[in-house]
Amino acid sequence: MVSEEKASPSVETFGQSLRHAAEGGLLRLIAGKPLEQAIGRLISGAVDVPVAYLERWSQGVRSDTDARKEISSALASAASALAAENPELVDRGLVRWTHKIASTQRVREDIALRTLSIFAQNPESEETAAPSEDFMRMFEDIAERASSDELTDLMARILAGEIRKPGSVSRRTLQVVAILDQEIVGALNEIRPYLLEPGWFHIPPSDSQKWHRWFSLLSSVSISTEASTRMFNFDEHNRSHVKIGNQMIVITARPSKGTWFIDGGNLTPIGSELISALPLSDEPKVKEIALGILEHAFVEGVEVGDISEIGGEPSLVNLEKIF
């Protein structure tokens, strides 16, 4: 049997973490909102868990006694003959399964706490709704198998995104999440600050090998296309524009009648759903992208500016030449 002493440290630590969140007013976000239903479902299997229960949970009062009794009973009835011959085997099986329950519950609670933290940072959303039953069933199964900090964080962000905007994460995307590993999630986080609109990436010649490796990983799970050559179009003034967030990269090509090609890759619909769940970079790598574009021999100059509205029309301001 697993003793209460072995199980209590993780429960106590988690309770302390959530109490700190509660002291900051985080639990007030839950009351009367779909967040209560989603978090309650994740940590307890119930569709709707009252705030009072979540407060008791935050104080570390949760007990796994009933779960252990249920497992013990099932094992005893299914293997009564074997137990009579070798009771130690049943004990070892019980320990194994209670360890498994404790492990998966810890992961669920970690995801729940991270989701609460994400909502605490930005709780407002007009579209907020509890995730559907189909979504939660699939999400729960995947969530408890998260094997790294990166995957746990991604699962929390997916749940928060689905609560904020119902239907933003499809079942096919959840199926892909089920097979992600730490390396693939790492690659997705690496490319996030370089995302250009609408959903593509430029591969700088000097870092071609690294970028091709990332796209090979991401394309293997349908998050992106394979890295490939694409045409770069310029207007009659030999200029082209690339948008990233609220900034614009302005590219001037050397005078020529030819067509220029660059290496790049695109997100798939699955990739777009996943990357939208990741946090926005504090500083999108605008200058790094501009310097990568400047590496091409056909590029004469690159400038970066802010997109602003002047008189109701979009305009570029604060243009800075990149060297």
Side-chain angles (χ1 to χ4, degrees):
M1 295 288 290
V2 177
S3 67
E4 289 295 326
E5 288 74 22
K6 290 182 179 178
S8 59
S10 63
V11 174
E12 182 181 355
T13 300
F14 187 80
Q16 289 172 348
S17 298
L18 198 54
R19 277 200 301 278
H20 293 156
E23 290 167 4
L26 182 57
L27 286 179
R28 287 197 297 272
L29 298 173
I30 300 173
K33 292 189 176 184
L35 183 58
E36 176 185 339
Q37 294 179 310
I39 297 299
R41 169 66 181 266
L42 183 61
I43 63 171
S44 71
V47 174
D48 193 0
V49 176
V51 174
Y53 174 84
L54 291 172
E55 288 173 346
R56 291 199 301 274
W57 173 52
S58 72
Q59 294 165 7
V61 184
R62 192 194 72 252
S63 171
D64 292 323
T65 303
D66 291 341
R68 285 196 292 271
K69 286 181 179 178
E70 185 177 342
I71 293 172
S72 179
S73 176
L75 283 171
S77 61
S80 56
L82 182 60
E85 297 176 7
N86 190 353
E88 291 183 1
L89 185 60
V90 175
D91 288 340
R92 289 198 298 272
L94 183 57
V95 168
R96 175 177 177 271
W97 284 107
T98 50
H99 278 169
K100 182 178 180 181
I101 285 177
S103 177
T104 57
Q105 183 67 11
R106 279 195 297 270
V107 174
R108 282 172 175 251
E109 292 178 351
D110 190 5
I111 292 172
L113 183 56
R114 290 173 191 241
T115 304
L116 290 172
S117 179
I118 292 167
F119 263 87
Q121 295 167 22
N122 183 17
E124 299 302 324
S125 175
E126 295 180 358
E127 299 180 85
T128 301
S132 68
E133 177 69 15
D134 285 345
F135 176 90
M136 285 306 300
R137 282 184 181 180
M138 196 169 185
F139 182 86
E140 288 171 338
D141 183 55
I142 298 167
E144 64 185 23
R145 289 182 279 133
S147 57
S148 68
D149 187 68
E150 290 83 358
L151 279 169
T152 303
D153 184 71
L154 178 60
M155 293 304 296
R157 294 186 181 282
I158 287 173
L159 181 58
E162 182 66 15
I163 296 170
R164 282 202 175 109
K165 189 176 180 181
S168 61
V169 182
S170 63
R171 287 172 61 88
R172 68 187 178 198
T173 296
L174 283 180
Q175 288 175 331
V176 168
V177 172
I179 60 173
L180 295 185
D181 59 24
Q182 186 174 354
E183 187 178 18
I184 294 174
V185 177
L188 192 60
N189 280 310
E190 287 283 355
I191 69 171
R192 177 68 177 92
Y194 297 90
L195 178 62
L196 300 167
E197 296 185 16
W200 72 284
F201 302 86
H202 168 254
I203 297 179
S206 61
D207 279 337
S208 177
Q209 186 174 2
K210 177 178 68 177
W211 277 87
H212 277 265
R213 184 176 69 252
W214 284 339
F215 276 106
S216 179
L217 278 170
L218 297 174
S219 65
S220 70
V221 289
S222 303
I223 291 176
S224 75
T225 62
E226 284 275 4
S228 61
T229 301
R230 60 188 297 161
M231 187 167 59
F232 216 144
N233 295 314
F234 291 86
D235 62 19
E236 66 273 15
H237 304 294
N238 296 320
R239 305 192 87 182
S240 184
H241 300 77
V242 176
K243 188 173 184 293
I244 175 171
N246 60 357
Q247 292 184 288
M248 190 78 78
I249 300 174
V250 182
I251 307 143
T252 302
R254 301 184 188 281
S256 174
K257 295 181 180 180
T259 300
W260 304 115
F261 292 89
I262 61 170
D263 280 351
N266 288 71
L267 291 175
T268 64
I270 290 172
S272 295
E273 288 184 14
L274 283 178
I275 211 161
S276 66
L278 298 176
L280 291 173
S281 174
D282 291 336
E283 290 187 26
K285 308 293 186 180
V286 181
K287 287 189 177 181
E288 287 88 338
I289 296 169
L291 287 169
I293 293 173
L294 193 59
E295 292 178 9
H296 296 285
F298 65 83
V299 175
E300 185 175 81
V302 178
E303 296 171 286
V304 173
D306 298 319
I307 301 172
S308 179
E309 283 200 8
I310 300 177
E313 294 291 330
S315 179
L316 277 178
V317 297
N318 304 323
L319 273 174
E320 174 188 359
K321 191 167 185 177
I322 304 300
F323 298 95

